[in-house]
Amino acid sequence: MGVLIYLLHSGIVDESGGSPQDRELSRDGVMQSRAMVRKFRVYAPQVDMALISLYRSAKQTSEAPALSFPSIHFEVSELLAPDADVYAVMDAVENFDVQQLLMIGHKPLLPLLLSVMVDGTADSSRSIGYSTLVCVEMDFIAPGCGEIKYTMEP
């Protein structure tokens, strides 16, 4: 088995105030994130590490998995900024010594990352909805070498 990479889109944000970086999850966003973690827990993942975007909504989305999986090391990272370089993320993942990695972020980065991992190109326009988790298995960390194992929606 290769590396399992879990891409988790942050929950729905409250658009009413602040910069995108400071926006909080809406009530629905919190509820959907919690529902997603309940579903994810059934798979009993052995996540080695979790990377979280700098954005407040991603940090809030991470609260549910942090409570459910207390042994996971969570790290806030600029790598998962919405406009981050997809190939820089791939390079970083290649250098992590993990078997299972959870990444909590946003659009446009996560859909682009999924496209590059699975299709080998950012032009394939894959989508990841709010509070949706996509599990990608990669025997080799390189564009186009990933296979979607499953997708969970809240």
Side-chain angles (χ1 to χ4, degrees):
M1 181 174 94
V3 175
L4 292 178
I5 300 171
Y6 305 101
L7 303 176
L8 176 59
H9 191 296
S10 69
I12 300 167
V13 296
D14 178 357
E15 301 279 344
S16 65
S19 70
Q21 205 167 5
D22 295 327
R23 291 185 184 141
E24 296 192 1
L25 292 180
S26 67
R27 182 174 173 357
D28 286 343
V30 171
M31 300 308 289
Q32 287 181 349
S33 294
R34 289 178 183 167
M36 174 54 59
V37 170
R38 282 192 298 274
K39 288 181 179 183
F40 187 44
R41 197 171 36 209
V42 171
Y43 285 82
Q46 298 298 311
V47 177
D48 301 303
M49 180 180 184
L51 292 180
I52 308 163
S53 161
L54 298 168
Y55 282 38
R56 174 175 259 149
S57 60
K59 292 175 187 174
Q60 289 178 306
T61 300
S62 76
E63 290 172 3
L67 290 172
S68 293
F69 305 103
S71 65
I72 298 174
H73 169 69
F74 284 82
E75 184 177 310
V76 176
S77 176
E78 291 179 2
L79 278 173
L80 296 183
D83 59 351
D85 178 358
V86 173
Y87 296 99
V89 175
M90 293 285 292
D91 288 344
V93 169
E94 186 177 18
N95 291 318
F96 291 139
D97 184 24
V98 297
Q99 291 301 304
Q100 296 188 39
L101 174 66
L102 171 64
M103 293 195 269
I104 303 172
H106 321 271
K107 295 174 187 163
L109 178 66
L110 288 187
L112 289 173
L113 186 56
L114 180 60
S115 294
V116 169
M117 290 173 142
V118 175
D119 303 321
T121 176
D123 296 332
S124 63
S125 301
R126 292 207 176 245
S127 174
I128 302 176
Y130 289 109
S131 298
T132 296
L133 181 136
V134 180
C135 175
V136 178
E137 183 174 12
M138 299 190 83
D139 289 329
F140 186 71
I141 307 296
C145 292
E147 176 186 344
I148 295 175
K149 299 306 282 182
Y150 58 86
T151 299
M152 288 191 287
E153 296 180 344

